[in-house]
Amino acid sequence: MTDPELPERSDPREAKYVRDKLLHSAVVIGDCVQERVSLLVLNLDSRAISGGSFYKLESDHLVAKISPRANPELFRPLPPCSVSCTLGARAHVFVTTVREIRPPAAEGSRPRLALNLPGEIAALECRHSFRVPILPDSDLTIRISDPQPQGDARGIDISVHGLQFEVPMDTAQRLAVDQRISIKLTYQEAEITARAVIRRRTRNRVGVMLIDVNKPTVPLHDPNVEQLVRTLEREWLRNRLAKNG
């Protein structure tokens, strides 16, 4: 029986999940502001809609410029709004609230909305798979064989269906497009061995697709690879956040 006087213990997995969501949101918002990404904002109460762009971060909120043709009165503070945008290969959407409306600073300039920062941003892949950059100091090691061992490769990026890496030039000269090779991925205590087919090679940079050993023309669907990609993505996001201060 639970003692009502004792505080409930929080699940550390839930806390980690929340931290990862906040981290992802911070990185996405920071990149959108830096690149002045276009956005679409929808007032979920009045159904007013406006195009615009990310403008800047101020303390704990986001400032977005909206269309000069939009009626700012339809975006009064507190109603929930959805904001959608496309960054790189992903479409993003989040729900937030308006803190305040700021009129145009000068003739011909655009009204601005101060929006509360979201705790979570949903993302949708706009292409078949998102390639996660592999950090130079990542613990990931890549070993290839064809079928003879060809040594280690330096990872460049990875997705759930393939990866790109660099090898010494003499090794690259022994690799050809459409050639099948074996790849062993090691990250901390995890090891994954898979077959792959070379899709492209530019000098010593090689791009491969992971394939099903029983169906060589079909991309590999391996939950272990998916887990590895998600882990490397979180590693990359943490690094981006640290660099952005």
Side-chain angles (χ1 to χ4, degrees):
M1 183 174 178
T2 303
D3 187 341
E5 298 298 322
L6 296 176
E8 294 184 5
R9 290 187 176 181
S10 61
D11 188 336
R13 293 171 299 179
E14 178 66 17
K16 182 176 183 300
Y17 174 81
V18 171
R19 287 196 302 271
D20 286 347
K21 289 294 184 182
L22 290 172
L23 174 66
H24 175 259
S25 298
V27 172
V28 170
I29 292 294
D31 286 351
C32 286
V33 169
Q34 183 175 355
E35 298 180 26
R36 295 290 194 269
V37 170
S38 298
L39 58 79
L40 195 66
V41 58
L42 168 67
N43 183 322
L44 297 177
D45 284 344
S46 68
R47 298 296 175 181
I49 190 168
S50 174
S53 61
F54 289 85
Y55 179 53
K56 62 180 176 179
L57 286 170
E58 291 184 353
S59 182
D60 60 348
H61 61 277
L62 160 72
V63 179
K65 291 184 176 181
I66 60 174
S67 170
R69 295 186 299 275
N71 182 357
E73 293 299 310
L74 297 178
F75 293 93
R76 285 186 173 277
L78 297 182
C81 293
S82 72
V83 178
S84 57
C85 65
T86 300
L87 178 65
R90 286 182 168 184
H92 296 82
V93 63
F94 60 87
V95 176
T96 184
T97 52
V98 177
R99 292 171 64 109
E100 64 174 320
I101 307 167
R102 299 177 183 175
E107 185 69 26
S109 62
R110 294 188 289 166
R112 290 167 290 166
L113 296 180
L115 304 168
N116 289 310
L117 292 175
E120 182 174 348
I121 297 180
L124 173 69
E125 308 294 354
C126 297
R127 63 186 178 203
H128 192 57
S129 57
F130 174 65
R131 290 179 293 180
V132 177
I134 300 172
L135 298 176
D137 58 351
S138 173
D139 290 336
L140 178 70
T141 60
I142 304 170
R143 291 186 172 89
I144 61 174
S145 54
D146 63 342
Q148 297 300 317
Q150 295 295 335
D152 291 354
R154 185 183 74 82
I156 297 171
D157 54 52
I158 187 170
S159 75
V160 294
H161 295 310
L163 65 152
Q164 185 176 198
F165 54 81
E166 286 185 346
V167 292
M169 187 59 72
D170 59 339
T171 299
Q173 291 172 347
R174 295 193 292 270
L175 303 176
V177 173
D178 293 332
Q179 179 179 343
R180 294 178 188 172
I181 61 175
S182 292
I183 292 182
K184 182 178 181 181
L185 304 173
T186 304
Y187 183 82
Q188 297 174 355
E189 298 180 358
E191 288 188 0
I192 300 171
T193 300
R195 294 287 291 168
V197 58
I198 297 175
R199 287 305 191 202
R200 62 186 180 279
R201 180 175 75 81
T202 304
R203 293 182 59 79
N204 65 328
R205 182 170 289 197
V206 183
V208 304
M209 180 180 77
L210 302 178
I211 56 176
D212 188 319
V213 67
N214 297 315
K215 300 176 182 178
T217 60
V218 177
L220 179 68
H221 292 274
D222 185 336
N224 293 320
V225 174
E226 294 176 6
Q227 179 61 41
L228 173 62
V229 172
R230 297 287 82 81
T231 300
L232 292 172
E233 182 175 29
R234 288 194 294 271
E235 182 180 90
W236 174 67
L237 286 169
R238 290 191 184 94
N239 181 71
R240 289 292 300 276
L241 184 62
K243 283 186 175 180
N244 291 338

